[in-house]
Each structure stands twice: as structure tokens, then as C-alpha cells.
Amino acid sequence: MKGAGPAMNVTLKHLQAFVAVAREGSFTRAARRLALSQPALTIQINQFEEELGVRLFDRTTRRVMLTDNGTEFLPTAERLLDDFESAIADVREVAQRRRGRVSVATLPSIALKAMPDILAAFRDTYPGISVHLHDANASGVQRRVSRKEVDFGLASMWEPDADLAFEAVMRDPFGLVCRADHPLAEATGPVRWRELAGHTFLGLGHDTGIRPLVQSVDGLPDNLRQPEVEVSNIATLEGMLVAGLGISVLPRLAMPDHHPNDLIFRPLVEPELARDICLITRQGRSLSPAAESMRDMVIARLGGSGAP
DNA sequence: GTTATCGCTGGGATGGCAGT
DNA sequence: ACTGCCATCCCAGCGATAAC
């Protein structure tokens, strides 16, 4: 590729050489500044001039002066170098977690119960990284991860997906939830599924991740298998529970806790049931440094707290 | 990329010269 | 004898080139 025509490309070194000579007004001083021998610098400038087809410096043995073309080009060359250097600095800052952005989709229950502490700790450690939190139900979380709307999700598995990786980070046990004056609230501690038979059951709809798990329990009483009342979101369910319309079954994290005196939670046994809260990422795709930091913090804070 | 070396030149040092 | 001017000499330091 040598010879006539575009034989050699302009490189960053050519730009650096040009700007250094222009600033120093001397090949020798510029070469010292670039940690280069003077002849090497002369060659860089010659190559550059040849490549551009323009003489950049008028040099005598005593003086180096920018030509009109060189004077005109200098500000552009300086800006190019500045842009290059600041782009490199930006990448380094992101890599060092001093700047960045991470977005996470979680179940509302996790957003409410676990994320405030995690976010506070994260902001302390990585003040330059902004965090965007989206809450959605289990299928919504999975969809947001698939569509790359978020870096990762935090939810129970809605349905298997080969394009997604699920990493269980905590277990969230199911329990009975009812008003404190309900007969089932007289005892404390674990309660058996079959003890729920015959009570008015308020169930969650099929679009939640909770419903199919409950349906999977062996020997589920009929009133739980076919609920008399079915609602689609937890806020509605909570209102009905507080009103004393019936009982329900929820994971502990989904248990409303701003009515501490109105509602009680008793863990369910025979069998025990829990949902795995998973960290959901796109299969085979690496996380950004910011997202990786958040992932590590989520695992550190959640991992172990709910595990058996 | 380097080192060794080239030829060139600005400017200090020097000295010749004319005017006073 | 002194002063001001200018031509010449010399060399440090310059960028370019050759050789590796």
C-alpha cells in the first residue's frame, strides 16, 4: 500500500507532534516534551505534512514558525486532542465506578422493603452513579430485562427464558395473612395449609407470579384452588384484608407492613413454600461496571437474609 | 524508534576604519 | 585618544539526514 496515493494514515502521534511543535516553537524542545528524539519528531512532522499535502511549519536552522495553513489547523488539532483525551478520561471514570448509570427493575415489594437500604448504601459508596428503579410485576421485570430497558431485574421467575440468566439471591417464604381479629390469628407461629380450608380466601390473579406458586402446593384446599374473590394487585388485596373480607397467602416481602396492628403473618408449613427472588440478567451479556457494582451490593445485602 | 553526524545560521567577539 | 560603525570570524544550537 505504499507509494502514490494515500500510503499512510494520519495517527494520533502526528497530531500530538504537530501540537507540541506549535506550542514549543522548537523541534528539540517539543521532542523532549514528548520523550522522543528530535529526528523522530522531524520524521513525524514530515510524514504529517506529506499526508496532508500542506506545509505546516516554515523552519530555518534558527527558527520554527507556523505557516498560514498550520495556524489555521492548530485550533482544530488541539480540539481533536482534547476530545480524545477527555473521551479516554470518561471511559476510565466509568470503569472506576466514579460515574455511570444503572437501572434496575424489581417487584414492588422488593422496591419497597429492600431497595431503600440498598440504594442508601450504594449512594454512599458510589456517589457519582445514578440509579433508576422501575417497579413491575414478575412478567414485567422479565420483559424489561429482555428488552434491555434495564441492566438487570430482581424478581421471582415468571417463566423460563433461554435468553435470560436467573440467579437466586434470596428465598421469600409464603405465609398466611389475615386481620388480627380473625380466628386464624389466635395462634401464633407456623400454620398448616389445610387449616386454611373453609375460610373466605382472597386470591391474586393469574398475571402475578404468586398465583401459580400457590396453585402448585400439594393438597391445596379447594377454597384456595378456586378463590371466591380474585384481585390483580396487592394494594387492592391489602384493602380487602384490612376490611376483614377474608384471608390470603403472600410471600413475606409482599406482606403489607404499614398496618402493623391490623394484619398478621404466619408462615405456612406442610409443605413450606417460598419463592426464589432471582437476579435476572441477559444471558451471556456482561454488565456495565456501574451495574456490576449494584449487582454486588444487592447480593451482599439480600444474600443470606432469607436463605434457609 | 535510536545515535552519529551533517550543513546552516544567529549572534557574540573581534578588529579595522573613519570621524571627532 | 576616543567613539561609533561595520565587516568578519567563530561556534553553539538548530533541523535534516544517514545508518543502524
Side-chain angles (χ1 to χ4, degrees):
Chain A
M1 296 297 163
K2 291 242 175 200
M8 178 199 49
N9 294 321
V10 173
T11 68
L12 196 60
K13 284 176 189 279
H14 292 125
L15 275 177
Q16 284 170 330
F18 169 58
V19 170
V21 172
R23 285 180 178 163
E24 294 290 339
S26 151
F27 278 62
T28 304
R29 284 200 301 276
R32 249 199 307 272
R33 221 158 71 89
L34 294 171
L36 208 65
S37 65
Q38 171 261 315
L41 182 57
T42 295
I43 289 167
Q44 293 284 359
I45 296 294
N46 284 342
Q47 286 176 343
F48 197 21
E49 287 176 332
E50 196 174 328
E51 189 67 24
L52 297 175
V54 151
R55 193 141 178 94
L56 295 170
F57 297 105
D58 282 327
R59 37 240 201 242
T60 68
T61 57
R62 306 305 302 174
R63 225 210 294 282
V64 174
M65 283 180 63
L66 279 166
T67 60
D68 287 350
N69 284 322
T71 305
E72 194 181 334
F73 181 48
L74 181 59
T76 306
E78 286 178 321
R79 188 175 49 74
L80 282 170
L81 273 186
D82 281 353
D83 285 355
F84 179 80
E85 277 158 20
S86 70
I88 295 300
D90 281 355
V91 173
R92 290 217 173 103
E93 287 205 336
V94 169
Q96 290 163 7
R97 276 94 158 143
R98 284 206 297 267
R99 276 189 330 100
R101 174 202 150 97
V102 54
S103 54
V104 182
T106 75
L107 297 174
S109 51
I110 296 171
L112 193 67
K113 300 271 181 70
M115 291 313 284
D117 281 351
I118 292 173
L119 290 188
F122 191 81
R123 286 195 68 83
D124 279 352
T125 312
Y126 306 103
I129 299 179
S130 64
V131 180
H132 298 252
L133 201 59
H134 307 266
D135 61 29
N137 59 20
S139 76
V141 168
Q142 227 167 294
R143 192 171 57 244
R144 280 175 182 272
V145 176
S146 290
R147 292 181 181 172
K148 303 177 184 175
E149 293 169 10
V150 295
D151 292 298
F152 63 84
L154 206 51
S156 50
M157 186 191 292
W158 169 248
E159 58 186 3
D161 183 335
D163 293 334
L164 298 179
F166 298 86
E167 179 189 359
V169 291
M170 71 175 292
R171 285 179 72 76
D172 189 12
F174 276 77
L176 159 73
V177 180
C178 64
R179 221 161 79 162
D181 59 0
H182 192 275
L184 283 171
E186 282 168 19
T188 58
V191 58
R192 289 181 287 271
W193 288 92
R194 56 183 150 80
E195 294 179 56
L196 309 189
H199 294 284
T200 304
F201 183 70
L202 311 172
L204 280 167
H206 285 93
D207 56 339
T208 67
I210 291 170
R211 173 67 176 264
L213 278 171
V214 171
Q215 296 291 323
S216 74
V217 170
D218 278 342
L220 193 68
D222 287 344
N223 62 320
L224 269 62
R225 192 165 300 284
Q226 276 152 13
E228 289 176 46
V229 182
E230 202 170 289
V231 299
S232 59
N233 77 63
I234 293 193
T236 309
L237 180 66
E238 175 191 341
M240 300 180 113
L241 286 165
V242 169
L245 295 180
I247 64 168
S248 193
V249 161
L250 286 175
R252 184 185 284 282
L253 273 181
M255 156 86 181
D257 62 359
H258 42 278
H259 299 289
N261 300 321
D262 291 341
L263 298 178
I264 59 106
F265 179 92
R266 295 178 65 193
L268 279 157
V269 293
E270 294 180 27
E272 284 183 13
L273 178 67
R275 63 174 176 177
D276 280 324
I277 302 297
C278 297
L279 210 134
I280 306 171
T281 52
R282 290 184 291 281
Q283 189 73 258
R285 302 297 296 268
S286 57
L287 292 174
S288 72
E292 208 166 88
S293 304
M294 174 57 91
R295 190 194 88 116
D296 290 348
M297 187 149 292
V298 164
I299 291 174
R301 296 258 158 178
L302 291 186
S305 67

